[in-house]
Amino acid sequence: MNKSVRLFLMVNLFTFTIAKAQQPNIVWIVSEDNSKHYMKLFDEHGVATPNVEGLAKDGIVFDRAFSNAAVCSAARSTLILSTYGPKMATHYHRAEGKVTLVNGQDMFPAYLRKAGYYTANNAKEDYNINKPDDVWDDSSKKASWTNRKSGQPFFYVYNIETTHEGRLHFTKEQMNSTKTITDPTSVFVQPNHPKTDIFRYSNAYYRDKIVQMDKEVGEVIEKLKKDGLYDNTIIFYYGDHGGILPASKGYLYETGLHVPLVVHVPEKYKNLSPLAQGTRTNSFVSFVDFGATVLNLAGIEVPKVMDGKPFLGKNTTTKTLDKKDETFGYADRFDEKYDMVRSVRKDNIKYIRNFEPFNVNGLMNAYRYKQLAYQEWEALYKQGKLNKDQSRFFEVKPAEELYDVIKDPYELNNLAALPDHQSDLKKMRKELNCWMESMPDLSFYPEFYLIENAIQNPLEFGKKHKKNIRNYIKIANLEVLDFEKASPKIKKLLQSEDKWERYWALIVATSFGDEAKTLTTAVQTSLALETENINKLRAAEFLSIVAHQNTAQDITAILYAAKSDTEALLILNAAVLLKDYYQKMPFAIDRTKIDKKVITNKLVEQRLDYIKK
């Protein structure tokens, strides 16, 4: 090897080594189940969190950071792929059929590993995806940056469970015997909640847990400093979705989606941030952007298959941040409770679209109702002891909701029907429809059908059925018309040869409630001719909700005919809804007549146990 070639290789090796040395370490400190509303750094009603506040002094506070889903597995699946959940069918909590990644798609830490990073996750994953082998060097409760090679850059995730929903599953005896540091008599209770001793205590106890969580954040920061890494490490602190007090986690309100986010960017890497240390920004950032941002900070090209856009790193400027002015949300099945809700927020205006508005928010969810506050809230509603704002959680929803979340932070004053707000309503409706069509949103097929037909290659399925989905969105949007205008179109669609056109026509008909009684004969005819089991369910649901008929025997027979557990869950969702909120009709279900593949599902068992009570 001649001298010039040797010199060339040495220079290039030196340049490569320097480049590697300049790659920042990146740490995510993630607290479970807390929105920004309970921390003083973000909200006047929150508690002090000195360690997070300390991080903010030489970091960036993002005042408009959002999870795209309001529950952990759907939120974390969005984070790890930097791709919207409804596009990938990763947004059902927890997946009854996990998605397979194909065509070069991968979880974003895999790209870091390929670029020489050590990747460690301590320890929660909770992905609705079959995890490839190339994602983590270590994902366990022992995972740490200390196990990497000397000088190797690292990406490290540390999950804090202290604020998880399960912490509020205390008993009345525990409540009476455990005193909180936060004073329950003076703690803030949001206006849609009753101001009872249980709600006050739950608020105080939860804030205590946030204070405890903050100490754990401080421990991670202190360990980085002790190891001499703090000045070489970009640190994200954020909550993994909204809070755990009733009507937050699991719902697309701000308390379910709006998360705290603080990012510490050391002086050494200030060129990677368009914002100065110690500043706050109102730019919108969402979980779909987080993975893309980490790759950009590491100097790795963001794969085109990702939906996320970087908000830090190379080529990000204040202008690019200013353009980030919207966030999208999605909610479908959480445990055994089904619904289909989408949202978009731009600036201070929030639009929520309820595609099945007859589904009541307060519908039984076994895990959620372990919380005393949920139990008491429901009991007070049944006793007629709640005011209008407190009662809404247990009542039929409008198809569209529109809020000014600055003036109305708890989304109580729906502006959708007011003449002065029609311009905003139409603009936001269009924005949401365009987003759903562009993915496309796979939820316009029921979950059990996606498990059977889409999860092996959801992107290809979406591409193949994009035109169909656009059509189903158009049908679903008949809900926002006056009934007289929608009725003839619904009647025609009930006779369609496309089973999913009939499916959505039945949902739309039911969404009009008593207004749609004139469709009763058409739906009865449709039911008599229907060959698709789930459409029989939607027709029976209409006849109960709109025509006030007792369809318990029909729905029971439909359940016996179900061949998958997720189809059965959708049927049982309707049964619980009708039992608790409409006909109050009893169900006599013989478990021996249910398909064996169905009856072994834990969520199915929970629904059956509840119905039997």
Side-chain angles (χ1 to χ4, degrees):
M1 184 182 294
N2 63 46
K3 187 179 291 184
S4 61
V5 172
R6 190 162 56 245
L7 180 61
F8 173 82
L9 290 173
M10 289 177 63
V11 168
N12 276 275
L13 179 62
F14 177 78
T15 303
F16 176 80
T17 304
I18 292 296
K20 283 288 182 186
Q22 289 176 343
Q23 285 180 297
N25 305 313
I26 302 167
V27 168
W28 281 4
I29 306 174
V30 188
S31 60
E32 295 197 44
D33 299 11
N34 63 284
S35 62
K36 62 103 179 177
H37 301 80
Y38 311 101
M39 299 171 66
K40 191 176 180 181
L41 180 63
F42 295 91
D43 193 289
E44 62 179 323
H45 302 298
V47 290
T49 49
N51 291 293
V52 175
E53 290 166 17
L55 203 64
K57 285 181 181 177
D58 59 355
I60 305 155
V61 177
F62 289 83
D63 284 310
R64 291 178 175 175
F66 301 88
S67 174
N68 299 104
V71 71
C72 49
S73 70
R76 288 169 181 268
S77 297
T78 303
L79 281 166
I80 204 69
L81 290 182
S82 205
T83 303
Y84 288 118
K87 179 179 180 178
M88 295 294 301
T90 59
H91 58 305
Y92 298 97
H93 176 67
R94 301 204 160 92
E96 294 296 315
K98 291 196 172 187
V99 167
T100 299
L101 300 178
V102 294
N103 300 333
Q105 193 173 22
D106 213 334
M107 297 180 175
F108 81 83
Y111 299 107
L112 291 166
R113 282 190 77 191
K114 289 170 188 172
Y117 269 77
Y118 182 81
T119 62
N121 177 54
N122 189 337
K124 188 171 184 176
E125 294 183 348
D126 209 9
Y127 314 132
N128 295 325
I129 307 157
N130 291 314
K131 187 182 71 171
D133 296 329
D134 60 352
V135 180
W136 301 109
D137 286 290
D138 186 6
S139 182
S140 70
K141 288 189 177 293
K142 294 182 179 179
S144 169
W145 60 76
T146 57
N147 297 323
R148 75 196 191 283
K149 295 176 184 176
S150 178
Q152 185 180 13
F154 63 87
F155 172 62
Y156 176 64
V157 182
Y158 186 78
N159 292 272
I160 299 173
E161 299 178 2
T162 302
T163 47
H164 188 268
E165 181 178 5
R167 301 300 187 270
L168 285 192
H169 292 170
F170 48 74
T171 64
K172 286 187 178 178
E173 290 74 21
Q174 290 169 322
M175 174 180 155
N176 292 330
S177 63
T178 306
K179 191 175 182 181
T180 59
I181 299 169
T182 304
D183 183 4
T185 63
S186 60
V187 74
F188 175 77
V189 178
Q190 60 193 62
N192 60 319
H193 290 161
K195 292 180 174 57
T196 64
D197 289 345
I198 287 176
F199 268 85
R200 291 184 185 281
Y201 183 87
S202 297
N203 271 275
Y205 189 83
Y206 183 35
R207 284 166 171 80
D208 283 1
K209 289 297 175 185
I210 288 171
V211 172
Q212 183 182 339
M213 171 274 293
D214 179 69
K215 292 178 182 176
E216 294 173 71
V217 171
E219 290 169 5
V220 179
I221 294 170
E222 191 56 38
K223 182 76 168 74
L224 286 166
K225 289 179 177 178
K226 185 178 178 182
D227 288 357
L229 296 168
Y230 185 75
D231 293 331
N232 297 319
T233 303
I234 296 172
I235 304 170
F236 289 60
Y237 160 74
Y238 65 92
D240 74 342
H241 52 71
I244 55 177
L245 292 168
S248 50
K249 180 179 180 179
Y251 302 94
L252 299 190
Y253 300 115
E254 292 295 285
T255 50
L257 295 175
H258 199 157
V259 299
L261 172 63
V262 177
V263 181
H264 159 76
V265 180
E267 180 70 21
K268 181 177 181 179
Y269 299 111
K270 67 180 182 180
N271 62 304
L272 295 177
S273 171
L275 300 170
Q277 293 178 332
T279 60
R280 303 182 80 116
T281 177
N282 275 328
S283 295
F284 281 68
V285 297
S286 302
F287 278 8
V288 73
D289 300 319
F290 280 34
T293 298
V294 169
L295 294 183
N296 201 43
L297 286 168
I300 300 167
E301 185 177 354
V302 178
K304 290 180 181 179
V305 73
M306 288 183 173
D307 293 327
K309 298 292 184 285
F311 53 87
L312 293 171
K314 184 181 176 182
N315 295 329
T316 59
T317 65
T318 53
K319 285 185 177 180
T320 59
L321 282 179
D322 288 343
K323 289 179 182 178
K324 297 180 75 63
D325 65 345
E326 65 185 4
T327 181
F328 295 99
Y330 33 87
D332 288 77
R333 179 182 57 75
F334 294 160
D335 296 322
E336 76 276 29
K337 177 184 176 291
Y338 273 96
D339 205 347
M340 183 177 170
V341 188
R342 299 288 180 267
S343 68
V344 57
R345 178 179 163 185
K346 287 179 76 75
D347 196 21
N348 60 318
I349 301 298
K350 172 88 165 284
Y351 174 76
I352 298 175
R353 178 71 169 88
N354 297 301
F355 285 92
E356 300 173 8
F358 46 84
N359 273 329
V360 174
N361 277 331
L363 189 69
M364 170 53 60
N365 178 302
Y367 189 77
R368 205 164 287 167
Y369 273 84
K370 287 182 179 182
Q371 196 177 139
L372 290 181
Y374 267 112
Q375 295 171 25
E376 182 185 48
W377 200 12
E378 181 187 43
L380 291 173
Y381 174 75
K382 290 178 177 178
Q383 295 163 18
K385 294 182 178 179
L386 300 178
N387 64 33
K388 180 183 175 183
D389 290 338
Q390 295 162 356
S391 297
R392 284 179 56 199
F393 187 70
F394 302 97
E395 295 173 346
V396 176
K397 300 172 287 186
E400 297 180 295
E401 301 174 59
L402 188 74
Y403 302 101
D404 183 327
V405 295
I406 302 302
K407 296 178 181 177
D408 180 21
Y410 297 99
E411 292 151 282
L412 301 175
N413 182 25
N414 186 7
L415 308 171
L418 300 181
D420 289 349
H421 296 275
Q422 292 310 294
S423 176
D424 278 335
L425 181 72
K426 290 173 183 176
K427 182 175 71 175
M428 300 295 272
R429 181 193 295 157
K430 183 178 179 181
E431 194 82 20
L432 189 74
N433 287 331
C434 288
W435 172 67
M436 290 189 299
E437 290 176 9
S438 69
M439 286 189 280
D441 192 321
L442 300 188
S443 278
F444 284 88
Y445 295 96
E447 182 187 18
F448 73 88
Y449 186 80
L450 294 176
I451 290 172
E452 293 166 1
N453 297 279
I455 62 172
Q456 293 305 314
N457 194 337
L459 291 179
E460 186 61 32
F461 179 89
K463 183 179 178 181
K464 182 179 177 181
H465 294 86
K466 194 165 187 174
K467 186 176 179 180
N468 302 89
I469 292 170
R470 188 183 303 122
N471 179 42
Y472 303 147
I473 293 171
K474 186 177 178 180
I475 294 169
N477 280 331
L478 293 175
E479 291 176 345
V480 306
L481 301 180
D482 292 333
F483 177 68
E484 287 185 9
K485 196 171 182 180
S487 178
K489 297 178 182 179
I490 296 170
K491 277 186 179 180
K492 186 177 179 180
L493 288 161
L494 289 173
Q495 301 172 36
S496 172
E497 293 183 3
D498 183 333
K499 62 187 176 183
W500 302 123
E501 286 192 352
R502 300 196 304 273
Y503 177 81
W504 275 104
L506 287 162
I507 291 173
V508 170
T510 306
S511 75
F512 282 103
D514 286 348
E515 272 189 293
K517 282 183 179 178
T518 55
L519 294 174
T520 300
T521 301
V523 173
Q524 286 173 327
T525 302
S526 173
L527 177 58
L529 298 173
E530 185 58 64
T531 56
E532 189 69 27
N533 198 46
I534 203 64
N535 287 356
K536 293 179 182 179
L537 178 275
R538 291 302 191 184
E541 194 173 50
F542 171 93
L543 293 172
S544 288
I545 292 173
V546 179
H548 307 296
Q549 297 178 12
N550 187 327
T551 61
Q553 288 187 345
D554 299 291
I555 291 173
T556 302
I558 292 164
L559 175 65
Y560 296 157
K563 298 303 179 187
S564 77
D565 47 8
T566 38
E567 182 184 10
L569 276 176
L570 193 51
I571 295 163
L572 288 167
N573 193 83
V576 173
L577 180 71
L578 299 175
K579 172 182 178 288
D580 285 358
Y581 289 98
Y582 288 97
Q583 293 299 314
K584 312 284 184 183
M585 54 190 179
F587 283 81
I589 297 173
D590 182 349
R591 297 189 187 209
T592 65
K593 294 182 179 180
I594 300 174
D595 192 289
K596 289 181 180 179
K597 291 181 291 185
V598 170
I599 197 68
T600 55
N601 183 288
K602 182 181 177 183
L603 298 177
V604 169
E605 288 178 354
Q606 286 178 340
R607 277 297 195 216
L608 291 171
D609 289 344
Y610 178 73
I611 288 171
K612 190 178 179 181
K613 289 181 182 178

